[in-house]
Amino acid sequence: MSTDTAIAVRDLRVRYGATEVIHGISFEVHRGEILGVIGPAQSGKTSMLRCLNRTLEFTPGARMQGVVEVNGEDVARTRDVYALRRTIGMVAPLPVGLPLSIYDNVAFAPRAAGLTARASLDELVERCLVQAALWDEVKDRLHTLGTKLSGGQQQRLTIARALSHRPAILCLDEFSIAIDPVTTMRIEDVLKQLKAEMTIVLVTNLTQQARRLADRTMFLLDGEIVEIGATDQVFSRPADQRTGDYVNGIFG
């Protein structure tokens, strides 16, 4: 794996029971890029993401084959799966707030990892909330319940929580599915800034979102990679007719 490669996937296959949903895909994600992953529902996008930090194994009957390497380490052979999951921040389609204060939502993972100094926690919480474009809205009510925030604010709190353990890789799975367009654009601005610090994998059902944000785009269809390449090429000069049909809204 090249030193420029954050994630390397080779011949990845995923089964749920007897049904194979990903059929031997291979790709790499470069350090410091945003890789957009597009495709219709049931294409295997979320399953692929869940292989990266081994959360697929939480699903009974799910099985992964092939090789997934994160920062040069085979995730199937890692001795510390918790360290792997700290390396990869995950943001789900719907905001999942812990029933804790805004402050404690962000401080939860660092505390679990052993950070207890109040000054250090204060600094970390502020930094993560600033990065998630939420600080100015909540700085005067950090000790109110995070679940009392609006949907868009809760999603940004989820991003702040994902950033709290300083991940090298940030994966977002349809993060804007339940939030308004204005909040979506604010989070997109956040992602553009975060790209300077980490690698981002952006699974999105909004093709134009991938076009705005991604350096490269992968089109996943029925568990297979149809095309992967520079975003402008994928959208403007696709190599496969199916890609052109999808990004132009002919199906999907």
Side-chain angles (χ1 to χ4, degrees):
M1 187 170 82
S2 164
T3 56
D4 186 47
T5 302
I7 300 169
V9 175
R10 297 192 296 275
D11 196 28
L12 176 65
R13 296 177 181 274
V14 174
R15 290 179 178 275
Y16 293 99
T19 303
E20 186 174 88
V21 298
I22 295 182
H23 313 300
I25 65 173
S26 299
F27 64 95
E28 292 186 350
V29 185
H30 305 150
R31 295 189 194 282
E33 78 167 341
I34 298 179
L35 177 70
V37 183
I38 61 174
Q42 309 300 316
S43 289
K45 304 186 297 297
T46 296
S47 295
M48 179 271 294
L49 276 189
R50 296 179 65 209
C51 291
L52 301 182
N53 70 344
R54 286 181 47 181
T55 53
L56 184 78
E57 59 197 47
F58 294 153
T59 302
R63 186 160 58 96
M64 179 190 99
Q65 292 178 300
V67 176
V68 176
E69 294 182 351
V70 173
N71 293 329
E73 182 178 17
D74 185 338
V75 301
R77 298 182 179 181
T78 184
R79 294 182 179 180
D80 190 346
V81 69
Y82 301 106
L84 170 70
R85 291 173 184 153
R86 288 193 295 270
T87 298
I88 304 174
M90 286 280 185
V91 177
L94 298 175
V96 182
L98 300 176
L100 303 170
S101 70
I102 296 168
Y103 184 101
D104 289 339
N105 260 269
V106 182
F108 183 85
R111 281 182 176 141
L115 182 63
T116 57
R118 182 64 187 222
S120 298
L121 283 170
D122 287 350
E123 181 182 358
L124 181 144
V125 168
E126 180 175 347
R127 175 178 59 81
C128 292
L129 289 170
V130 167
Q131 286 181 311
L134 188 57
W135 173 253
D136 287 341
E137 297 171 37
V138 302
K139 62 185 178 182
D140 297 324
R141 48 180 174 138
L142 292 177
H143 298 291
T144 60
L145 275 174
T147 50
K148 297 295 186 181
L149 296 173
S150 70
Q153 289 173 325
Q154 286 193 53
Q155 188 65 302
R156 280 179 282 155
L157 181 60
T158 300
I159 293 174
R161 197 166 67 238
L163 296 173
S164 69
H165 40 80
R166 301 178 186 270
I169 298 165
L170 181 64
C171 296
L172 301 105
D173 187 6
E174 311 278 19
F175 78 84
S176 57
I177 195 169
I179 56 179
D180 62 272
V182 172
T183 301
T184 295
M185 296 304 292
R186 293 191 67 179
I187 297 176
E188 288 186 10
D189 289 339
V190 169
L191 297 179
K192 292 173 186 176
Q193 296 173 19
L194 289 175
K195 176 185 157 183
E197 303 177 28
M198 63 191 65
T199 302
I200 298 174
V201 181
L202 172 68
V203 166
T204 179
N205 62 338
L206 304 174
T207 56
Q208 293 306 309
Q209 185 173 77
R211 191 169 194 171
R212 288 191 297 270
L213 294 177
D215 298 290
R216 293 188 305 138
T217 296
M218 180 168 75
F219 175 40
L220 199 60
L221 180 65
D222 295 330
E224 297 181 348
I225 296 175
V226 174
E227 190 165 347
I228 183 170
T231 294
D232 183 63
Q233 176 181 324
V234 169
F235 279 85
S236 301
R237 302 178 302 281
D240 191 292
Q241 181 64 45
R242 292 171 295 174
T243 306
D245 289 347
Y246 181 74
V247 300
N248 287 303
I250 294 175
F251 75 97

